[in-house]
Amino acid sequence: IPANAPIVELVQPARGSAVANAATTVQVSIRNLPSISSFSEVVLKLAWGTATVTGAKQVPNTNLLIVTATIGASGQAGLATSAAYRQADGGTPLMHASFDFLFVRPPPEISPIDGTLAGGSVISVKLYWNDPGTLQYLTARFASSIATVLAITAKDSSS
């Protein structure tokens, strides 16, 4: 890797929102990215989710570019290695800068939150899960009782 290869120095914030389907606006500081004439030339390619670059500004008298982007929620959770590059370079190994972004899985949504004293309440639990194939092993417990799972419906991360 050449000494003047692009380097991501800072991603702020470095993690996404825990709110379901919420996007996160980030600022990514990139040093040594080849010159751009418009922010639309900057690409942030993520392992999970999407990034829409909404602006970029060169810090005067430096080789530092500050990029503003919106990263969508993904339904996935974990640290994703991502890349920043100038569109004209196509993300070639020598001309991209890697960075990590943490996707946070939203907490379960439970509805209704109150049951009856007699029991028998039907409760809907919405989980954000990386691998729907493992949902067959899902169990639920309320106080000391194991609940009967009536149905499992898997949807993609955009729902």
Side-chain angles (χ1 to χ4, degrees):
I1 296 178
N4 63 346
I7 299 168
V8 170
E9 293 186 344
L10 180 67
V11 178
Q12 187 65 35
R15 62 185 295 138
S17 171
V19 175
N21 300 317
T24 302
T25 299
V26 297
Q27 286 196 328
V28 181
S29 300
I30 309 167
R31 190 166 300 279
N32 300 332
L33 193 70
S35 297
I36 63 168
S37 57
S38 166
F39 72 82
S40 63
E41 293 181 39
V42 180
V43 177
L44 298 182
K45 184 177 181 183
L46 304 170
W48 298 317
T50 58
T52 303
V53 175
T54 56
K57 66 179 179 181
Q58 186 77 37
V59 176
N61 304 316
T62 71
N63 60 354
L64 184 65
L65 182 71
I66 299 176
V67 177
T68 303
T70 302
I71 297 178
S74 73
Q76 300 284 337
L79 202 60
T81 300
S82 307
Y85 58 90
R86 188 178 71 154
Q87 194 166 29
D89 299 323
T92 59
L94 296 179
M95 298 308 293
H96 79 277
S98 294
F99 65 97
D100 290 330
F101 186 79
L102 180 63
F103 285 90
V104 180
R105 183 181 296 122
E109 297 172 13
I110 301 170
S111 175
I113 58 171
D114 295 320
T116 65
L117 289 175
S121 298
V122 174
I123 299 170
S124 173
V125 179
K126 183 175 183 180
L127 301 171
Y128 295 85
W129 209 265
N130 282 5
D131 182 6
T134 63
L135 288 176
Q136 63 190 353
Y137 306 110
L138 181 69
T139 60
R141 179 180 294 276
F142 295 94
S144 62
S145 300
I146 294 177
T148 302
V149 177
L150 300 176
I152 297 174
T153 305
K155 293 184 180 181
D156 66 26
S157 62
S158 62
S159 58

